[in-house]
Every structure is written in structure tokens, then in C-alpha cells.
Amino acid sequence: MRLPAAALLASGVLAPLAGAFYLPGIAPHDYKIGEAVELQVNSLTPSLNAENKLESVLSFGYYDERFHFCQPQGGPQAAHESLGSILFGDRIYGSAFDLHMLKDTSCEVLCAQTVPGAD
């Protein structure tokens, strides 16, 4: 009986000293300076309007044609999702943004879109 109590006490004392964490479906990655960083996009979810009323319960894909968002060359590619992402209804895709670790950039044109007046 004393061994489990000692192990429990030791784990309680040593646990705050641990410097690691784990998020299911996410593996840590150490980026090198200048290495490409993938930016992913998700579905757009509804929010409350000015009167605090929910106008819609439908989510829209980020690349839904009604939004006219810039797409990556070759079209959006679906990302590999974890079981949790699938259960929560996430629709994760790669984006057209070109990001690199510790590289400052500003005001780059991603693409040019024409939005019809009806939209």
C-alpha cells in the first residue's frame, strides 16, 4: 500500500518541473530561419448580428465561391485532419499565403479578384 502512495506523492512533486506538453493531433516542429511556414484556413462560422441574434447556423468553406478569397496555385488542398477536427466539423485547407520563419514582409499582393456587384 505504501508504494502507490509514494509514487503518487513523487509524481505530484515532480509534475510541475516537466517542461513538455501534448496536444492531440499536433506534433511540435522546430523551424529554421527562412523555412517555409504553412498557413492553413478553416471554415467560416456564423456569429451574432447587431441585435445579438444568430442569422444562420450553417458554416461555409473558406474557399466558397461567394467569398472570392485567393486560392493557392493548383487549387486548395485539404489538410490531414485529426479525429477531433473531423468531429468538430473543421474543414482545413492550405492557403495561398507565402510565409517564412523570421522573415519580415509587408504589403505583398496575394492575388487580384473581381467581386461582382451582386455579391
Side-chain angles (χ1 to χ4, degrees), residues 1 11 25 31-32 35 39 46-48 50 54-55 58 61 63-64 70 74-75 85 91 93-94 100-101 109 118-119:
M1 284 287 196
S11 65
Y31 288 95
K32 295 176 179 64
E35 183 178 351
L39 178 70
S47 61
L48 301 176
L54 188 63
E55 293 185 19
L58 299 175
Y63 292 114
D64 188 293
C70 299
S85 294
R91 290 175 272 174
Y93 291 90
H100 296 275
M101 181 57 66
V109 176
D119 287 350

Side-chain angles (χ1 to χ4, degrees), residues 31-41 95-106 108 110:
Y31 288 95
K32 295 176 179 64
I33 295 174
E35 183 178 351
V37 178
E38 183 180 7
L39 178 70
Q40 298 178 330
V41 296
S95 71
F97 294 94
D98 186 27
L99 305 175
H100 296 275
M101 181 57 66
L102 294 175
K103 179 183 174 190
D104 290 333
T105 56
S106 61
E108 289 187 11
L110 188 59

Side-chain angles (χ1 to χ4, degrees), residues 14-23 28:
L14 296 176
L17 301 176
F21 68 93
Y22 175 72
L23 297 174

